[in-house]
Amino acid sequence: MKPFRYILSAILLLTLAIGLQAQTDAEHVRLTNLPHIYINTFTGRPVTSKTTTVLARMWYVDEQDNVAFYDSLEIRVRGNSTATLPKRPYRLKFQNKVKLLGKGFANAKKWTLLANHGDKTLLRNALTSQMGRFAGLPFNPAAKFVDLTLNNQYQGNYQLSDQVEVRPHRVDIAQQDYPLEDDSNITGGYLLEADGFADFTTQPQGPQQSPTGFYTPMRHVPVRIHCPDDDEIYPSQYSYIRQAVNDFELRLFSPSFTDPLTGYRPLVDSVTLANWYICTEVSANVDGFFSTYFYKERNDPRLRWGPLWDYDIAYNNDNRTDRGGTSNTERQLMKDHGYGANGNGCRQWFEQMWRDPWFARLVNRRYQELVSSGLEDFLYQQLDSLVTLIDQSQQLNYQRWGINTRALRERVLYSTYSRYIADLRTFIGRHTAWLTTAFASQQPDDPTPDDDQQPGFAADPHTFYTITNAGTGTCLDVDMATSQLCANHRQALSHSQQWRLVTLQNGLHLLVNRATGQAVSDPSPAGSTATTNTGATLLLAPADSGDVRQLWRIVAQTGQRYNLVSRWSHHAANLNGGNAADGTRVLSYTSDNRDTSSNNRLWHIQATGTDAETSLDAPSMDYALAYDPQRQHLHFGADDVQRLTFRVTLYDAGGRPVATFRASDGCSLSALPPGLYIVSWTADGRHESVKLKK
């Protein structure tokens, strides 16, 4: 009878739990148009510590009044200065991954509840995240405004947001192996923070006996390692990322720091650098260099910047007067007046970058692009939308907390919410207008050519182009046997004479061949200058926007003619001797004042078709990829193998190219070790890739 009694007891307990849950669900309702979060700690224990977590239950009431119940999670206080305020921010950790923000957002255990108590608009963090999306930053913390009740007491309006961590839909970069294997690739990804609070240890700790941060050698910048996690980082990973950041700083402060090859530029991603920096200045975030997130991807030497985080005292919301004798940031650059200098942040890095004419031009050009794209109007629209969204909630919030008392660093105090919004709108308008002049005034006086400022070609990303020499009328083509660039007479159906011009955010281009899927690369030796004539023949290589040898400026000249100028060597693509014979090589050659007149260096660019077009005269071929394990031979099969003229690239599991061959020739894998490989090719305008296990 005992088993029966146990089963009956379990059923009764389950029935009771279901009944209690139904009852409590009915008690949890929204108070405004926003979702409502109810959290009750076990035994009603208060949540007051950053280090001690408290077990709790949570009910989430969504916009349709559906109630989701979470029976066990951990909650603690988060933040630094804000952690001591009466309206505290919190960090939540669930037992299992949850999608609190729905489809298309993170599935994760860790979440934040931002109180925004020092920001009377409650909107500065959310507005900045939207600006990051507008500027093109790849990772911007998602957010949803909610009302929060903790232990049966209404706490006010909160911002439910992503935890900044390496994870899909958050900082979505390569995740390191754990546990680490002997053959693990430890070049990425890493999530780092120039952390003015130095909230890390430089002594070995945890199971892997590694520190969780370090100080850089020249400017003593405190760098915290967020990923790999504190309890997972290995000594080899710590040593690798510390050396990578130190190398960047050593180059940045070296005598040759402005050199495009030996200076710091090869170690930074200019796109995220410019976008992150401009968002920091537009928002006038005085803490922008005190707490700065940056990261490193796998197999990429460059540091990338973002995500944007912690903007509650930005947009002229800090009353401290140690920035040029004024607390008003309306007419100030944060690189001059923000916090994070003298070893408590990374402001010194950006002060040094501004001494590089390349960086000054990069920022000015990118800011002009963003302004022309409607940055100011976008910020106004987002602000108006957010104000409407939280209107009911902010009214309840300020019934709880009061609107005209200083909570943190507020520079101005008003008696109405609308006055705070008006103040923020006024600052955005005046500050964005002032930045146009401020950035322009930082431009160097020297006439040094700038790769990112030259006029370019407006390429359609879905169009293929022919590139025809202005003197001979022959087309830029590929010698399939050698992967070298040549010029041949026009063949209307030849995909090897068709090019996709991939425009990057820095105004440069990849020139990608339709037949091979590979990009034009400049093999000139390091140290080449515009007037150093090496005469190297241009090649094709696996397309990689991070490879400076593959970056090209398309410089407009008269008569709808263009120069193709290498970002690597500063040379122009030149038809050897102006020879009209088929197979004439295309060289990396001198670029000087003859660029405007020498037909050898001038090219016409004409659209020939789009991705969606398939020529009726050139129907797609039926072919198949096959691997013979006995002969260890990879090959394609077709009715007419010789028609398979496209190039094929074989990559190892780490993404490194290990073989390139013409499809009709096949490839022997006998010299390659066993393992997983990726076979990649482009044919008939379609890119294909297949996994292969040897």
Side-chain angles (χ1 to χ4, degrees), residues 335-408:
K335 64 103 172 174
D336 297 324
H337 299 286
Y339 306 124
N342 303 319
N344 65 350
C346 66
R347 201 181 96 187
Q348 295 173 82
W349 288 353
F350 288 85
E351 291 173 336
Q352 180 72 352
M353 289 183 202
W354 270 108
R355 299 183 179 102
D356 181 1
W358 167 82
F359 181 78
R361 284 188 288 263
L362 172 68
V363 170
N364 190 60
R365 177 193 57 77
R366 181 57 180 150
Y367 185 66
Q368 290 175 2
E369 291 175 353
L370 291 171
V371 170
S372 298
S373 299
L375 172 62
E376 184 179 347
D377 285 342
F378 173 82
L379 292 174
Y380 290 152
Q381 292 165 6
Q382 292 299 311
L383 181 59
D384 291 344
S385 176
L386 291 170
V387 167
T388 300
L389 175 68
I390 72 165
D391 182 58
Q392 297 177 30
S393 181
Q394 64 85 9
Q395 294 181 46
L396 279 183
N397 181 84
Y398 288 118
Q399 290 177 23
R400 172 77 168 84
W401 297 109
I403 199 168
N404 59 355
T405 56
R406 181 167 287 110
L408 184 61

Side-chain angles (χ1 to χ4, degrees), residues 639-656:
D639 291 339
D640 184 359
V641 175
Q642 295 308 311
R643 291 186 61 203
L644 304 181
T645 59
F646 53 87
R647 304 288 293 182
V648 183
T649 302
L650 187 68
Y651 298 90
D652 66 14
R656 294 174 289 272

Side-chain angles (χ1 to χ4, degrees), residues 186 190 192 202 211 213-217 220-221 223 225 233-250 294 296 303:
I186 65 169
Y190 293 90
L192 310 166
T202 57
F214 56 89
Y215 292 89
T216 59
H220 207 60
V221 174
V223 177
I225 304 171
I233 185 168
Y234 283 75
S236 59
Q237 294 168 317
Y238 173 82
S239 298
Y240 175 86
I241 193 57
R242 180 182 182 184
Q243 187 62 49
V245 176
N246 288 350
D247 286 348
F248 155 73
E249 187 182 78
L250 290 168
F294 57 108
K296 184 182 180 300
L303 299 177

Side-chain angles (χ1 to χ4, degrees), residues 154-167:
Y154 175 71
Q155 297 296 315
N157 174 277
Y158 275 74
Q159 183 178 326
L160 177 63
S161 185
D162 284 323
Q163 169 74 11
V164 179
E165 62 177 346
V166 174
R167 180 172 296 281

Side-chain angles (χ1 to χ4, degrees), residues 166-215:
V166 174
R167 180 172 296 281
H169 299 296
R170 287 185 172 173
V171 182
D172 195 357
I173 61 177
Q175 297 191 36
Q176 300 255 1
D177 294 342
Y178 186 80
L180 208 61
E181 305 291 343
D182 291 341
D183 59 349
S184 293
N185 185 341
I186 65 169
T187 62
Y190 293 90
L191 176 62
L192 310 166
E193 180 188 5
D195 178 9
F197 287 104
D199 188 16
F200 55 80
T201 174
T202 57
Q203 301 300 316
Q205 69 164 27
Q208 309 308 334
Q209 291 296 297
S210 292
T212 59
F214 56 89
Y215 292 89

Side-chain angles (χ1 to χ4, degrees), residues 9-77:
S9 298
I11 292 174
L12 290 172
L13 288 173
L14 180 60
T15 303
L16 179 60
I18 293 173
L20 289 173
Q21 181 59 43
Q23 181 181 5
T24 54
D25 283 356
E27 294 172 354
H28 297 97
V29 297
R30 291 185 297 141
L31 302 183
T32 72
N33 59 303
L34 297 182
H36 200 116
I37 290 178
Y38 292 85
I39 297 177
N40 285 343
T41 63
F42 287 92
T43 71
R45 183 178 175 183
V47 184
T48 58
S49 172
K50 289 177 56 177
T51 57
T52 302
T53 61
V54 180
L55 293 178
R57 297 185 179 94
M58 181 178 123
W59 293 260
Y60 180 88
V61 188
D62 69 13
E63 295 91 332
Q64 287 75 44
D65 295 317
N66 300 309
V67 181
F69 174 66
Y70 303 92
D71 62 355
S72 182
L73 66 143
E74 297 175 357
I75 181 172
R76 65 175 177 86
V77 177

